[in-house]
Amino acid sequence: DVKVTQSSRYLVKRTGEKVFLECVQDMDHENMFWYRQDPGLGLRLIYFSYDVKMKEKGDIPEGYSVSREKKERFSLILESASTNQTSMYLCASSPPSGLAGGSTDTQYFGPGTRLTVL
Amino acid sequence: GENVEQHPSTLSVQEGDSAVIKCTYSDSASNYFPWYKQELGKRPQLIIDIRSNVGEKKDQRIAVTLNKTAKHFSLHITETQPEDSAVYFCAASLGYSGGGADGLTFGKGTHLIIQP
């Protein structure tokens, strides 16, 4: 069973703080993603990574950066948190291409981290 | 970039009736279209997906149809039950045919309410 975990379910930070959100998957997935979810806006892609040390900007990368030093771990970094970054953050991963028996595009989500920036 | 529109934003149906949620997308290169269900306080869960080389896919009470020419796809739930109450999201992406991983572009979601 695919397992995607996130370091915190709830997080409260102050404006200007540096914030790290961690995501870990245990299925040797190559691809990992960070989304934010806001009421009425759905999920929006922030960044994704298709390999260690590789990263690609999504639709809303401003104010965020990412780090992927190990295959199983993908971190989202808010260099200087602002109140408009208060949101639910969801991590996802997808299997490597060519995996038999399943869709290589299927993304599996973590439980989410609800971040509040005061 | 891709843009996905989803309608309606709220859908209320009587238990046992059918529910249909519709989405349109803008990028004709998109070829992977998943649907996710999200219950309150839980993570999104994939319920069904379809690729551009298929027009329809069914899984028990759930079906998805795709019209590539018109760039729209729909989720159909028959014989709705109380446990179908949730927020449903459609999404689109290039998939692996784009040469690598691709993030999903989501619709804004449909809150499905099943009335007893």
Side-chain angles (χ1 to χ4, degrees), chain A residues 4 9 31 33 35 37 40-43 45 48 50 95 97 103-107 109-111, chain B residues 32 36 38 41-44 46 49 51 89 93 95-96 101-109:
Chain A
V4 182
R9 289 303 305 273
N31 310 308
F33 307 84
Y35 297 88
Q37 183 175 18
L41 296 179
L43 287 80
L45 180 66
F48 65 99
Y50 53 88
S97 58
S103 167
T104 54
D105 296 311
T106 300
Q107 293 188 19
F109 283 86
Chain B
Y32 175 64
Y36 283 83
Q38 188 177 30
K42 296 191 176 180
R43 72 189 77 190
L46 178 75
D49 57 11
R51 298 183 184 282
F89 293 97
S93 82
Y96 270 92
D102 187 43
L104 295 169
T105 300
F106 284 85
K108 290 184 167 63

Side-chain angles (χ1 to χ4, degrees), chain A residues 7 9 15-16 19 21 35 40 62 65 72 79 83 85 96 105 112 116:
Chain A
S7 51
R9 289 303 305 273
T15 302
V19 182
L21 303 182
Y35 297 88
E62 297 79 17
S65 62
E72 67 272 18
E79 294 289 341
T83 54
Q85 292 178 309
D105 296 311
T116 302

